[in-house]
Amino acid sequence: GPDFHQSLYCHLLCGLIFHEEIQLVSSTFAHSIVLAFRTFEQVWEELCDDIREGVLTSRITFPSVRSAMAKLLKPNPELADLIEKKCSRLSNWYGLIPELFPNVKYIYGIMTGSMEPYLKKLRHYAADVPLISADYGSSEGWIGANINPSLPPESATYAVLPNIGYFEFIPLKENVEEHMQENGNVSFLSMEPKPVDLTEVRVGEEYEVIITNFGGLYRYKLGDVVKVMGFHNSTPEMKFVCRRNVMLAINIDKSTEQDLQFAVEEAAKLISKKKLEVIDFSSNVDVSTDPGHYVIFWEISGEVSDEVLTECCNCLDRSFVDGGYVSSRKVDAIGPLELRVVRRGTFQKVLDHYLGLGAALSQFKTPRCVGPTNNKVLQILCDNVAKNYFSTAF
Ligand code: AMP
């Protein structure tokens, strides 16, 4: 189908029609699995109506999709009643996946790195169905296999596939070896550390991955940071750490994607007491103020009082642990962190924007840091701000 929303609706409908045959729930990235079941929460009654009557909702407008669905859809009031009964006995949709699909064995998709923030919600839908984190790959080539799939996603490591490409690793240790290079008459200081080969990486250290693949891509920097956790035979086992280019920096601070994820997780605990959650988040540095400050965008699943959100804002500010950030905040070289709460559906608009540009939904990752060159996304976020708060933590 040419429209993602219509396709997702029909995908859910097919899942319900064949609910006993579903053995596996999977998508490339965990984000899309969560999105599918969040959508289910909104449309389940309409899905049941379609099943009861055997007629597809008029919302689905593409003739090719309608005729494909017409072949599968027959009036089935028993099934509609069964699904309605199942849905109404769930508490806050906990265990939705095994309830709908009683024969499901596991849930599979990339759940590490920037997908970790969706794990909590996925576990909620999955109840005791195991979550299996998929391998580590990219459009440029596969990188590593999750050889211990029964470990929880938080502990997943990836054994590098040594024959799938040629891998090199740029060490990211702080004490970068500085060396002088002669370039004609000019001497200059090069801060870029020399990459090491696959077997030269050291356990416990972090690296950026470089790939040379059989397609002819030569020494391409993936932009991913990995940590070596050990070896599987002679190939390193890596933990995915974060994207290298997600960085909030104003002064001497360098806050990574991981720092941001940690801060959001800490602050989200304050609203989880009220059975609410952060649906999605992003960030930006605002240097239009003097001094500049971090801005965190949150979409929340319900109403939260100003008092709690002020606390969340303070907690976010305190939870950025980078030394440069903390010291800059103390001397006011970075201004108070700002929490901007956006309206429901804002991150859906961000997704729609990327899909409109031709991005594949299966590869979508919410941008965690929106830089000045990403005007359109920044505009979507800023246009949808419902409330904002400034930290008083320092
Ligand atoms: P793409 O080329 O758009 O499909 O995205 C590839 C990127 O997704 C990689 O460079 C990583 O940043 C991320 N990615 C892929 N697999 C994993 C994984 N198992 N864990 C964490 N991030 C991953």
Side-chain angles (χ1 to χ4, degrees):
D3 175 80
F4 155 71
H5 301 283
Q6 297 195 17
S7 298
L8 176 57
Y9 183 92
C10 295
H11 204 133
L12 289 168
L13 191 53
C14 291
L16 296 179
I17 296 169
F18 298 103
H19 73 124
E20 286 191 337
E21 290 167 54
I22 306 287
Q23 307 251 341
L24 161 70
V25 173
S26 167
S27 181
T28 312
F29 289 105
H31 168 267
S32 344
I33 309 179
V34 170
L35 179 66
F37 289 99
R38 280 194 197 282
T39 306
F40 181 88
E41 288 186 29
Q42 316 283 320
V43 299
W44 69 280
E45 281 162 312
E46 204 174 347
L47 289 165
C48 286
D49 289 346
D50 291 4
I51 294 173
R52 188 180 311 283
E53 306 297 331
V55 181
L56 189 62
T57 169
S58 57
R59 247 182 346 119
I60 309 298
T61 51
F62 291 98
S64 59
V65 180
R66 289 196 72 85
S67 66
M69 287 307 296
K71 293 185 190 137
L72 301 172
L73 205 54
K74 308 273 174 301
N76 190 343
E78 295 80 34
L79 178 59
D81 287 345
L82 179 73
I83 295 163
E84 267 173 10
K85 209 163 89 198
K86 283 171 179 278
C87 289
S88 42
R89 71 170 174 238
L90 290 175
S91 159
N92 197 22
W93 302 101
Y94 178 81
L96 173 63
I97 294 176
E99 196 62 43
L100 292 180
F101 312 121
N103 296 315
V104 83
K105 305 285 185 296
Y106 61 99
I107 297 164
Y108 184 73
I110 292 171
M111 297 171 189
T112 41
S114 55
M115 295 298 132
E116 261 190 59
Y118 307 106
L119 270 179
K120 195 164 171 229
K121 188 68 179 172
L122 198 52
R123 282 213 169 91
H124 183 83
Y125 287 134
D128 45 17
V129 177
L131 303 183
I132 312 283
S133 192
D135 293 341
Y136 172 25
S138 66
S139 309
E140 294 79 21
W142 283 108
I143 300 148
N146 179 4
I147 51 171
N148 298 305
S150 56
L151 289 179
E154 289 86 347
S155 316
T157 54
Y158 303 98
V160 179
L161 302 164
N163 54 358
I164 213 159
Y166 189 84
F167 293 99
E168 294 167 274
F169 300 88
I170 304 173
L172 297 179
K173 261 205 322 210
E174 293 284 343
N175 54 343
V176 167
E177 184 191 324
E178 293 181 21
H179 53 272
M180 301 292 283
Q181 286 187 356
E182 290 293 327
N183 184 2
N185 292 333
V186 191
S187 300
F188 62 92
L189 249 185
S190 164
M191 292 296 287
E192 181 79 349
K194 251 182 85 168
V196 298
D197 277 325
L198 188 71
T199 52
E200 290 165 0
V201 296
R202 297 218 185 117
V203 174
E205 290 188 8
E206 292 188 357
Y207 299 89
E208 180 180 349
V209 184
I210 303 179
I211 182 170
T212 296
N213 68 15
F214 286 105
L217 200 58
Y218 180 69
R219 304 191 90 189
Y220 178 77
K221 280 181 173 180
L222 269 180
D224 290 342
V225 178
V226 295
K227 183 173 182 179
V228 180
M229 306 305 286
F231 281 86
H232 176 75
N233 298 327
S234 307
T235 197
E237 264 191 62
M238 313 257 176
K239 193 173 171 59
F240 185 91
V241 178
C242 60
R243 293 285 301 163
R244 195 175 179 184
N245 60 3
V246 178
M247 189 82 87
L248 292 164
I250 292 176
N251 191 310
I252 52 166
D253 54 313
K254 282 198 191 87
S255 294
T256 65
E257 179 180 19
Q258 244 187 341
D259 294 330
L260 171 66
Q261 246 163 250
F262 173 78
V264 169
E265 234 170 69
E266 285 302 299
K269 286 180 189 158
L270 300 171
I271 62 164
S272 72
K273 290 179 197 153
K274 316 237 173 284
K275 294 223 171 338
L276 292 171
E277 59 189 319
V278 176
I279 294 179
D280 225 329
F281 63 94
S282 191
S283 68
N284 157 251
V285 289
D286 184 350
V287 284
S288 66
T289 56
D290 187 24
H293 66 281
Y294 288 9
V295 178
I296 311 294
F297 296 92
W298 266 15
E299 183 174 327
I300 309 177
S301 59
E303 282 301 309
V304 186
S305 69
D306 288 342
E307 197 188 341
V308 174
L309 286 170
T310 307
E311 248 183 89
C312 292
C313 182
N314 289 343
C315 178
L316 280 166
D317 204 4
R318 275 193 305 268
S319 303
F320 278 95
V321 288
D322 171 71
Y325 183 74
V326 178
S327 55
S328 302
R329 280 291 287 122
K330 282 183 181 157
V331 297
D332 218 18
I334 296 180
L337 180 143
E338 183 182 356
L339 170 62
R340 294 188 191 164
V341 178
V342 294
R343 292 186 196 91
R344 279 300 290 275
T346 301
F347 280 90
Q348 181 69 48
K349 288 185 185 160
V350 171
L351 168 66
D352 290 342
H353 163 70
Y354 282 103
L355 296 181
L357 294 176
L361 176 84
S362 60
Q363 287 181 297
F364 179 74
K365 303 158 207 83
T366 300
R368 294 292 182 220
C369 180
V370 183
T373 52
N374 203 347
N375 266 333
K376 185 66 200 161
V377 172
L378 193 57
Q379 196 186 336
I380 297 172
L381 292 171
C382 292
D383 286 352
N384 285 283
V385 173
K387 298 173 181 177
N388 69 326
Y389 304 85
F390 283 94
S391 159
T392 50
F394 287 86

